[in-house]
Amino acid sequence: MTNSPPAPRSPLVIGHWSLVISAFVAAAAAAGDWPGWRGLEREGRAEPGDYPTQWSPEKNIRWKAPVRGKGHSSPVVAGDAVFVTTAYFTGRGEGIKRAAGYAVFGLTGLLIAITAVFALRAAIGRPRLARGQWVSVASLAMLLAALAWHAAADRLRPPPADVSLEQQMERWLLASTIAALCLMVAGSQFLVRPWLRPAIGLLALGFAALVLFGRPEPQYFDLVTPGRYGERIFETVALPFMTGVVLLVATGVERLRRRAATPADARNRSPWAFATSLAILVVGAALAVVLCRDLLLAAIVVCGLAWLVSHLHFALRRQVPNEDVTPFSAPRWLPAAFLCVGAFGFAERCYFLTTREFVRAVVCLDRDTGARRWTCEGLRAPQPPLNSRNSPATPTPVADGERVYAWFGSPGALCADRQGKLLWTNDEVPFDDVHGLGASPLLCDGLLIIPGTQPEAPYIAALDARTGERVWTTDLRPWSGGEGQHRTPAIATVDGKRLILAWAWDGERKEDFLRALDLRSGKELWRHPVATHGEQVAGLVSDDDVVFLPTSKKVHALSLSKLSRGEDPVIWARELKCKGQLVASPVLCNGLLFVVSAHRDAHCLDARTGELLWSRQLNGRGCMASPIAARNAVYFPDVSGKTTVVVAERTFHRVAENDLGEPIWASPAPVDGRLYLRTAGHLWCVGE
C-alpha cells in the first residue's frame, strides 16, 4: 500500500472523521447526487423529477464528452462533478514485443523460402521423380503454405487494446499450430538420421501434452463444456500428437525389420516399406478426420502425415546405410532452425505477450458542461486477461463530499481528492478471476467495503476511507474453479443496526449464503442459504424489511427481521425458467420488481406476492447494465446502445427505444432530471 499519510489519529478523531464523511454522504444524497453504484442506498431508484424518456445523438443531449480508455463503470455524480473510472494501455515494452514478433515472423518466412528453394531445385534438377517423391514434394509444399498462412494471420492481426481471456486462448491455439507445423517440417528432415527420429517423436508428444495440459486457465477452458474451446484444443493437439506417433511407430517398425532381415531380404524391402507407410498414412488420416472438425486443420494434418510418411517410406527402402533416398537434401542446420524458431515463436506469443501494462485512472468532468477538469492516474500494473465483455475498470467508483474512491481488483484501490490529487493507494485488496472483476465497492460510515469474493482466498474487507488502511477482514472458504462471485454487497438497517448484506459462495461445494456482517467489525451475525447456479453478477436489492435475491432461474424474497431472529424468512420465490437475471441487478418501482436477463428477457413481478405480471423480450444484443427507475418509468440499457423505457405498471407498455449508436455496459445515473449515460467511448448528459 502506498500512502501520503497524515499523522496518526486517535480513535476519537477517526470516529469524528467518520461522522463528518457520513454527513457529507447524506448531504450529497439529499442534494440529488448519485454517490456510488446504483446510487448506493437508493438501489437504482431516482428522486422524483422530470426525467427524459426519449433521446438520440441529436435530441435531448445537453453535452457529450469523450472518455479515453476502456471501462464499464457507471458514472458517479457528487456536487458539481461527474466521476468515472477508466484504464488505458501505457505502451511500455511494446517496441520490444513488436520487434520480437516481427523477428520471429521474418525468420519463419526466410526458412520457408529456403526450404522451398531446395525442394524446387530438386524437382527441376532431377529428370524423373518417383511416385513417392512427388507425394513428398507436394505435401511439403502444402505444409509450407499452411505454415506461411498461419504465421501471416498471426502477425498481420492488429494487436488488441487489451488481452481478453478468449484472445489469450486464440493466441495459444494459433501459436501451437505454428510450432507444430515447424516441428513437422523439422522432423521429416531428421528421418534419415535414425538415432534422432525417436528423440523428435518424444519431443512432439511432449509438446502435444503441453498444448493440452498447459493451456491457459485449464479450470475454465475445460474439455467438455460447450463453448470453452474443447473441440479446437483437441484439433490443435492432433498435429504434434500425430507427428510423434508416426516417428515412434516408424522407429519401432524399422528396428523390428532390421532384426528379422538378412542380406537376402534387401530386395524385398520396398514392398514392406510401401505397406508400412500406407498403413500409417491411412490410420493417421482417419484419426485426423475424426479429431479435426475444422476441414482446413484436418487437411494440414493429412499433408503433414503424407510428408512424414513419404520420408519414412524412403528410409525403410534404404538398402545401403548411407543411401540418400529423400527427394532432396537440405543443410543440417535447416531442421534445427525450424525447431528453434517454432519454440521461440511459441514462447513469444504465449508467454511474452499475455499481459500488457495499464494505468488506472479516475476522470472528473463538470456536471453542467461536460468539460474535463482532471484525470488522476495511478496503479500502473500488468492487466491479466479477462472476459471480452469485461474491462480493466468495471467497478463503479464511490464519492463523498470531498473525495472519490475506486477499486480495480488486484492492481489495488485508490483515493483522490476533489482537486484530483492522489491521496492514497492500497494494492493489498486482490481479486483473481478468469473473467475479471464485476463487483463495486461501497462507502458507509467512513469505511470503504471491498467485496473480494475470488475463488482462492475469498474475503470481504473494510478500509479506512481516510487513510486506506485495512480495518477488518472477514475470510470466506475458498472454492474450486477459476470463477468468482461478482455481486456487489448492500447496506441495510435492521433493528436500528447497520449491516452489510453479502451474498457469495462458500467452500468447495460452492454453498451460497446470504450473510449479514457487522459494519464496524465485520463479524458475521447470521447467514441463510440461497442457492445459485454458476458465476453470478446480479446483486440483491432491498425495500425496508424485504430483500430480493435474483438468480438466473429464480427470484427469492426474504424478510430481514426474521433472518435476524433466526426464523423462516421466505416470503415468496418465483421461478423464471432460466430467463432471470445473471448480470443486471433488479430495480423496485411502484411496488413492482423489474428484472432482465442477459438475453433481454424482461419481467415484472409484484414485489409483495411474487406474482409474475408480464414478460417481454426487448430489442438489442443483451442487457449487461442494470436497469434504473425514474419518473414512474424503468430504463433498460442494452449492449447495442439502445435503452428501452417502459412504464412502471402492472401491464407492459413501452414508452420509447432510444439509440446512442455506441455499446452501453454501464448503468445510467439519474440526477435532478438528467440522465448521465456512459457508452463505450463517451459520457452523455441527457436532459430535456
Side-chain angles (χ1 to χ4, degrees), residues 353-588:
L353 292 177
T354 54
T355 59
R356 311 177 79 187
E357 185 183 73
F358 277 72
V359 60
R360 286 81 184 171
V362 177
V363 181
C364 176
L365 298 95
D366 186 275
R367 176 171 172 173
D368 292 325
T369 65
R372 184 185 301 269
R373 292 183 177 178
W374 49 260
T375 299
C376 178
E377 297 182 347
L379 302 174
R380 293 174 178 263
Q383 176 60 48
L386 40 75
N387 192 286
S388 58
R389 297 180 295 181
N390 206 345
S391 80
T394 291
T396 297
V398 62
D400 57 29
E402 57 180 17
R403 299 183 179 190
V404 58
Y405 309 85
W407 179 46
F408 300 91
S410 292
L414 63 80
C415 171
D417 63 16
R418 293 295 293 250
Q419 287 72 45
K421 178 183 177 182
L422 183 64
L423 299 179
W424 56 257
T425 62
N426 187 331
D427 59 0
E428 299 175 354
V429 281
F431 189 90
D432 185 11
D433 179 275
V434 294
H435 294 308
L437 179 59
S440 297
L442 299 178
L443 183 66
C444 185
D445 293 348
L447 295 176
L448 186 67
I449 309 301
I450 303 293
T453 47
Q454 56 188 354
E456 297 183 8
Y459 66 94
I460 299 173
L463 307 182
D464 187 305
R466 182 175 171 275
T467 65
E469 296 285 349
R470 187 172 297 217
V471 177
W472 54 257
T473 301
T474 297
D475 294 321
L476 310 178
R477 293 182 301 169
W479 52 83
S480 60
E483 297 176 334
Q485 292 282 270
H486 304 271
R487 301 184 182 105
T488 300
I491 304 295
T493 302
V494 181
D495 298 330
K497 191 172 186 178
R498 303 279 273 175
L499 305 176
I500 300 172
L501 300 180
W503 185 21
W505 283 337
D506 183 76
E508 282 294 325
R509 293 186 296 173
K510 295 183 180 179
E511 298 175 277
D512 226 341
F513 292 105
L514 173 65
R515 297 175 176 82
L517 307 180
D518 181 75
L519 180 62
R520 305 310 308 176
S521 65
K523 179 182 178 181
E524 183 177 300
L525 303 177
W526 49 258
R527 63 168 59 183
H528 183 76
V530 183
T532 57
H533 305 276
E535 192 176 30
Q536 300 286 318
V537 181
L540 53 85
V541 60
S542 63
D543 183 24
D544 294 330
D545 184 55
V546 183
V547 60
F548 303 93
L549 298 95
T551 72
S552 59
K553 296 183 178 181
K554 185 182 292 187
V555 178
H556 305 263
L558 308 179
S559 169
L560 290 174
S561 59
K562 290 183 178 180
L563 281 167
S564 65
R565 295 193 297 266
E567 302 174 5
D568 182 9
V570 178
I571 299 175
W572 54 259
R574 171 62 57 182
E575 293 279 353
L576 292 180
K577 298 180 181 179
C578 296
K579 294 184 177 181
Q581 297 197 212
L582 181 65
V583 179
S585 299
V587 66
L588 278 164

Side-chain angles (χ1 to χ4, degrees), residues 7-181:
R9 301 297 181 93
S10 67
L12 290 177
V13 175
I14 294 177
H16 170 73
W17 274 103
S18 299
L19 293 176
V20 171
I21 293 175
S22 299
F24 269 115
V25 174
D33 290 353
W34 197 258
W37 162 243
R38 309 199 75 200
L40 293 185
E41 295 186 53
R42 291 185 179 176
E43 298 183 333
R45 301 184 291 269
E47 294 293 328
D50 189 17
Y51 290 91
T53 57
Q54 297 184 359
W55 63 85
S56 70
E58 295 80 26
K59 179 182 179 181
N60 286 338
I61 302 298
R62 299 182 67 92
W63 52 260
K64 170 186 174 184
V67 178
R68 178 190 175 192
K70 186 176 182 181
H72 293 168
S73 67
S74 300
V76 164
V77 182
D80 60 350
V82 183
F83 303 96
V84 294
T85 58
T86 187
Y88 34 85
F89 179 47
T90 63
R92 183 178 179 181
E94 188 66 11
I96 298 177
K97 293 179 180 180
R98 289 185 178 179
Y102 282 114
V104 172
F105 178 65
L107 288 174
T108 304
L110 180 61
L111 293 179
I112 291 173
I114 292 174
T115 307
V117 168
F118 276 106
L120 186 62
R121 288 175 58 185
I124 296 176
R126 294 188 180 185
R128 181 175 179 273
L129 288 177
R131 179 175 53 189
Q133 293 173 327
W134 275 114
V135 172
S136 177
V137 172
S139 58
L140 174 64
M142 293 291 292
L143 206 60
L144 294 177
L147 178 59
W149 172 268
H150 283 81
D154 175 65
R155 189 49 49 194
L156 298 179
R157 179 184 301 172
D162 54 87
V163 181
S164 70
L165 191 67
E166 294 80 6
Q167 289 169 335
Q168 185 186 31
M169 177 52 72
E170 292 282 354
R171 184 177 292 274
W172 176 270
L173 295 176
L174 181 58
S176 300
T177 302
I178 294 174
L181 290 171

Side-chain angles (χ1 to χ4, degrees), residues 192-203:
V192 295
R193 302 171 181 87
W195 64 275
L196 280 177
R197 191 183 307 149
I200 300 301
L202 292 175
L203 178 63

Side-chain angles (χ1 to χ4, degrees), residues 555 572 574 576 591-593 595 603-607 610-613:
V555 178
W572 54 259
R574 171 62 57 182
L576 292 180
L592 305 174
L593 183 69
V595 301
H603 312 280
C604 174
L605 290 79
D606 188 301
E611 178 187 359
L612 181 61
L613 302 176

